[in-house]
Amino acid sequence: MRNVEVPSSANLEYIFNHLKQNTTYNVVLQAVNNIGGTERISDPVIIIVTTLPVGPPQVPAKPTVTLFNNTSARISWMDPGGYPDNYTLQIRSGMQNWTDDGRTSGIEMLFYDLNELTPLTIYDARVWSINFNGPSGLSLPTRFRTVGMIIIDRGENNTLQTTSGETVTLICSLEHLDDDDSLISFNWTRQDGSTLPPGSHLNDSVLTIPETKVEDSGVYVCSASGVQGTFNLPLSSPVLVMVAKILTYPVELLLALVLAWSWSWSCSWSWSW
């Protein structure tokens, strides 16, 4: 603590010199006079002052990526220190040039959401910050890949026709650059919101409906998401399942048809004889 006497003036100001950089000071202001001594005649006012650093901010750490779906993602980073005024995010796809995609202001905005990305594409993202002393260096780039669309293995028009009693298998997959589906979860539902047929079971991305019935007919859709819920993709194209009923006839009717055919055949044979 040290006291500084400020002479009365119209400006009521005082300039502190020789302060240390990046340091917080508490300034207590009191009004005094010489009547009866230098007694305080107002409550003290505490002013907190933090001096700024001399140089630019430090280099941000390598950012992280969270996928929302196949066309959007969030790029996040940590506060690098050095009192940045804002951050600038740069992205590129493939071997294209880096572009400034977004800018955030203040140190509390430590992420930026990218939209209108291209599915099934590799991107690089990096960030740099700036204060009144200049820009920081660029962070190390983070590479990420957007996922593709959901693919239904059901041929042309996504229609499956079968008869009651048969087993139906519906398969969906995710269009992507590698064969690792371990971080992707699939789910089949009916478009009208009704429950899946009794006895049906889901194995990864394969829905099996055994011993189908006519009431199992309808539209089925597949969805995909990250195992940790980091992204959710739009529903797949619908698959129309049409289950036809097998016509059965009573034994008596079949016997009557056989007898009628036999009689007709014998009559025809006799006439020819």
Side-chain angles (χ1 to χ4, degrees):
M1 294 293 295
R2 63 187 180 95
N3 295 325
V4 177
E5 184 177 347
V6 182
S8 298
S9 65
N11 293 328
L12 297 178
E13 66 179 16
Y14 184 83
I15 297 176
F16 291 89
N17 296 306
H18 306 295
L19 300 178
K20 296 180 181 180
Q21 64 168 327
N22 201 19
T23 304
T24 299
Y25 294 88
N26 292 334
V27 181
V28 179
L29 177 65
Q30 292 180 330
V32 298
N33 65 14
N34 57 2
I35 300 177
T38 56
E39 296 181 357
R40 187 182 63 197
I41 60 174
S42 68
D43 294 329
V45 178
I46 300 178
I47 304 171
I48 300 177
V49 178
T50 301
T51 57
L52 294 173
V54 173
Q58 299 179 25
V59 178
K62 186 177 180 179
T64 59
V65 179
T66 301
L67 294 177
F68 290 146
N69 48 50
N70 57 352
T71 59
S72 62
R74 170 168 291 183
I75 313 298
S76 307
W77 56 89
M78 301 294 292
D79 180 6
Y83 299 95
D85 292 326
N86 58 63
Y87 301 90
T88 297
L89 174 67
Q90 293 185 332
I91 66 167
R92 71 176 180 183
S93 61
M95 300 304 295
Q96 297 180 1
N97 295 327
W98 290 95
T99 59
D100 293 345
D101 194 87
R103 173 169 294 184
T104 61
S105 60
I107 61 174
E108 295 181 357
M109 194 71 171
L110 300 176
F111 65 88
Y112 189 82
D113 292 339
L114 296 172
N115 298 296
E116 299 182 359
L117 298 174
T118 302
L120 206 63
T121 302
I122 292 179
Y123 288 92
D124 293 311
R126 64 186 184 184
V127 65
W128 55 276
S129 58
I130 189 172
N131 65 13
F132 73 99
N133 287 313
S136 70
L138 290 163
S139 71
L140 292 175
T142 295
R143 174 159 292 186
F144 67 98
R145 171 184 52 82
T146 54
V147 292
M149 302 297 294
I150 300 175
I151 303 173
I152 301 297
D153 183 16
R154 188 37 58 200
E156 188 176 1
N157 297 327
N158 284 351
T159 302
L160 186 149
Q161 298 184 17
T162 187
T163 55
S164 58
E166 298 294 327
T167 297
V168 168
T169 301
L170 302 178
I171 304 174
C172 70
S173 59
L174 188 61
E175 182 185 22
H176 56 300
L177 294 180
D178 52 51
D179 296 326
D180 183 13
D181 285 337
S182 60
L183 299 179
I184 302 172
S185 174
F186 296 91
N187 188 41
W188 279 95
T189 57
R190 302 184 74 164
Q191 194 175 58
D192 60 3
S194 59
T195 59
L196 294 175
S200 61
H201 59 273
L202 179 65
N203 183 12
D204 194 15
S205 62
V206 181
L207 175 66
T208 303
I209 308 174
E211 300 180 359
T212 55
K213 302 178 180 60
V214 175
E215 53 266 28
D216 297 338
S217 300
V219 179
Y220 294 76
V221 290
C222 179
S223 61
S225 61
V227 174
Q228 290 82 17
T230 54
F231 67 90
N232 290 280
L233 297 181
L235 293 175
S236 67
S237 301
V239 178
L240 176 60
V241 177
M242 302 175 63
V243 182
K245 185 177 181 180
I246 298 179
L247 297 178
T248 58
Y249 301 94
V251 175
E252 294 80 2
L253 178 59
L254 290 176
L255 182 60
L257 290 174
V258 171
L259 293 175
W261 176 81
S262 300
W263 179 81
S264 175
W265 182 82
S266 62
C267 290
S268 176
W269 177 262
S270 299
W271 180 82
S272 298
W273 180 261

